[in-house]
Amino acid sequence: MALRSHTHKPASRSDSRADEDRPSYPPSADETDESVKKPGDHDPIDPKEIPPELEAIVNVISAQESRCYYEGRFVFLKDLDADGKPPSDRQWKHVYGQLVGTVFSIWEWDDLEQAATVAGTPGVPSSSAGASNSPVKPTYINIADASLRLIETLPASNGAPAITNVIALSTTFKNRFLLQFGSRSTLLLWSSALRLALFESVSLQEAYTGALLAGKGSKLNGIHLLLEETKFKHQDWVVVRFGAGMPWTRCWAVVTPAGYKNKKKNKTGRIDFFETKKAKQRKQQPLATISAAKAAYAVYPESSLLINNSTLLKIAGTITVNDEALKGASRDGFIFVMPELHPGVYGFETLIRFLVPTFDSFALYGRPQRFNADKFDIRSIMFGLPDPPSTRYLDLADV
């Protein structure tokens, strides 16, 4: 989608960094509303409630959720709403931003100044402490599923000078935000911070999955049989969300391994999602198909108390959704899947029994042979995981 022309007062060079039976469905909420988990809202971690085999990775995840990647002043525009249309109050604003974990907090600069004046402490915040302690309520943006694009020059309308040093940040639904900075160096710092936050978030979800498999999966009945290479399909009821912001849909999932029925042309497998359990026999078209995957992992739940019964996983790859709007076009993206709980079976077991065939189908993380847990191998499920006591994959200066 092409960006429009914009007019605003460019940021000055002084605008720089200041030092489920069926499981319950997660909400399909806008990432800027009250449902966003905000910095400081994390549930307190009680070591007694964390499975011992997962304590180390849970502590690293908690540290990442609380890490401030970058903060500072810039100019901000909400370019498109959730429905892909320009908002009614579409205008550039000077703001103060803080990126903590994957939550981007945005305070309007004028509101901060006004609140400081009312409080009898005229001035502007020089750090996140000033903004966070202000009575001004920020806008929260969840960037966990975001993509970003750097735009060095953006044409302006009405003959105004071109706008430089811009980041286009696209999040869930069709929301898009533009961030403009006073210098290229500041642009690159913010870009690095956003990319690092996304990289660490995904890497930790993968490492959490590896720890879950090693700690809990190794104790499952029949785990050796599950880990054996097979040519049989795995099938189960699931609820699926075909992209962030889309509704949850109950489907019959069929995970087909590579080389099914000795078809040598099938170098990778696939996952089909059908409306009914017998859809394939009736030769009905699947609701959606994943034909390739570059990542698949368990999603760490909102609280460590939910680990045992969570079945939520995320798959990123090439997806074809067969509906009227998309007309069966393939796209690179991601989906959320929740295998339905079975009576008397913990959620983590249901989750693992779906994940392993998925890994095998798309040859992820060393499967269908031996799991790759080498921290120095980019193909590993544990790639880059920091050794204690460190909790960071990289520092901002490393990016």
Side-chain angles (χ1 to χ4, degrees):
M1 184 181 295
L3 292 170
R4 298 172 189 74
S5 297
H6 306 279
T7 302
H8 82 300
K9 181 181 178 182
S12 69
R13 292 185 179 273
S14 62
D15 294 344
S16 59
R17 179 191 182 196
D19 267 11
E20 293 164 330
D21 285 288
R22 191 185 304 187
S24 59
Y25 301 173
S28 300
D30 190 329
E31 80 292 336
T32 59
D33 70 8
E34 290 300 316
S35 69
V36 175
K37 193 173 185 180
K38 305 167 182 61
D41 282 355
H42 315 299
D43 297 324
I45 294 178
D46 184 352
K48 297 178 182 178
E49 301 295 340
I50 302 175
E53 60 271 19
L54 298 177
E55 185 174 349
I57 188 64
V58 169
N59 288 334
V60 180
I61 291 173
S62 178
Q64 190 271 338
E65 290 177 340
S66 302
R67 177 181 178 182
C68 180
Y69 286 90
Y70 206 65
E71 59 183 300
R73 188 179 177 185
F74 53 90
V75 184
F76 175 84
L77 172 74
K78 183 165 186 179
D79 189 37
L80 297 177
D81 262 333
D83 58 3
K85 299 178 180 178
S88 57
D89 59 343
R90 185 173 175 274
Q91 59 181 327
W92 289 93
K93 299 177 181 179
H94 284 265
V95 300
Y96 190 90
Q98 181 189 46
L99 179 61
V100 176
T102 55
V103 178
F104 202 178
S105 303
I106 307 290
W107 289 267
E108 289 194 27
W109 193 256
D110 290 344
D111 292 345
L112 288 174
E113 287 186 316
Q114 183 177 357
T117 301
V118 171
T121 55
V124 293
S126 58
S127 68
S128 59
S132 299
N133 293 329
S134 169
V136 177
K137 182 180 178 181
T139 295
Y140 296 104
I141 303 174
N142 185 349
I143 68 160
D145 301 310
S147 62
L148 61 143
R149 181 162 61 97
L150 273 62
I151 305 172
E152 292 195 8
T153 303
L154 186 65
S157 59
N158 302 325
I163 302 167
T164 59
N165 304 317
V166 175
I167 291 177
L169 184 67
S170 300
T171 60
T172 57
F173 297 89
K174 296 181 180 179
N175 286 292
R176 186 170 66 198
F177 309 90
L178 300 183
L179 291 64
Q180 192 265 333
F181 305 96
S183 67
R184 177 171 172 77
S185 60
T186 306
L187 167 79
L188 295 178
L189 282 169
W190 272 105
S191 171
S192 298
L194 289 162
R195 294 184 191 281
L196 179 57
L198 291 170
F199 167 75
E200 289 198 340
S201 176
V202 171
S203 296
L204 281 171
Q205 299 296 327
E206 291 180 315
Y208 164 70
T209 305
L212 189 70
L213 288 164
K216 289 187 170 294
S218 61
K219 301 173 185 177
L220 295 182
N221 290 330
I223 185 62
H224 296 294
L225 182 63
L226 177 64
L227 293 177
E228 288 181 1
E229 187 172 357
T230 180
K231 298 301 180 184
F232 295 101
K233 296 179 179 180
H234 175 81
Q235 306 182 61
D236 203 355
W237 282 109
V238 301
V239 286
V240 187
R241 193 176 178 185
F242 298 111
M246 297 184 69
W248 289 96
T249 304
R250 188 171 188 253
C251 304
W252 179 251
V254 179
V255 184
T256 303
Y260 180 66
K261 290 187 177 179
N262 296 318
K263 293 181 180 179
K264 295 182 179 180
K265 293 182 179 180
N266 298 341
K267 294 183 179 180
T268 62
R270 58 192 287 137
I271 303 178
D272 293 302
F273 299 94
F274 297 98
E275 187 174 1
T276 67
K277 187 174 181 178
K278 295 182 179 180
K280 190 66 174 179
Q281 288 80 349
R282 297 173 185 172
K283 296 183 179 180
Q284 293 183 9
Q285 187 180 51
L287 296 175
T289 298
I290 303 176
S291 56
K294 59 183 179 181
Y297 47 83
V299 176
Y300 180 71
E302 289 291 305
S303 167
S304 58
L305 300 176
L306 303 176
I307 289 174
N308 282 343
N309 283 317
S310 175
T311 67
L312 182 62
L313 63 108
K314 183 177 179 179
I315 305 173
T318 303
I319 304 161
T320 303
V321 179
N322 297 306
D323 64 3
E324 294 182 0
L326 297 176
K327 298 180 180 179
S330 297
R331 61 179 175 86
D332 287 335
F334 59 86
I335 67 168
F336 294 99
V337 181
M338 285 196 297
E340 292 194 352
L341 292 169
H342 300 280
V345 179
Y346 276 118
F348 71 80
E349 179 174 347
T350 301
L351 173 65
I352 289 172
R353 293 189 183 279
F354 192 93
L355 273 172
V356 172
T358 298
F359 295 158
D360 293 353
S361 182
F362 299 111
L364 296 172
Y365 314 120
R367 296 292 303 170
Q369 283 76 46
R370 186 180 180 85
F371 267 114
N372 185 345
D374 183 353
K375 295 180 182 180
F376 298 98
D377 189 337
I378 196 172
R379 297 165 297 180
S380 167
I381 199 168
M382 309 298 282
F383 173 66
L385 182 67
D387 293 321
S390 176
T391 58
R392 298 184 176 187
Y393 282 75
L394 295 167
D395 290 322
L396 189 58
D398 298 325
V399 179

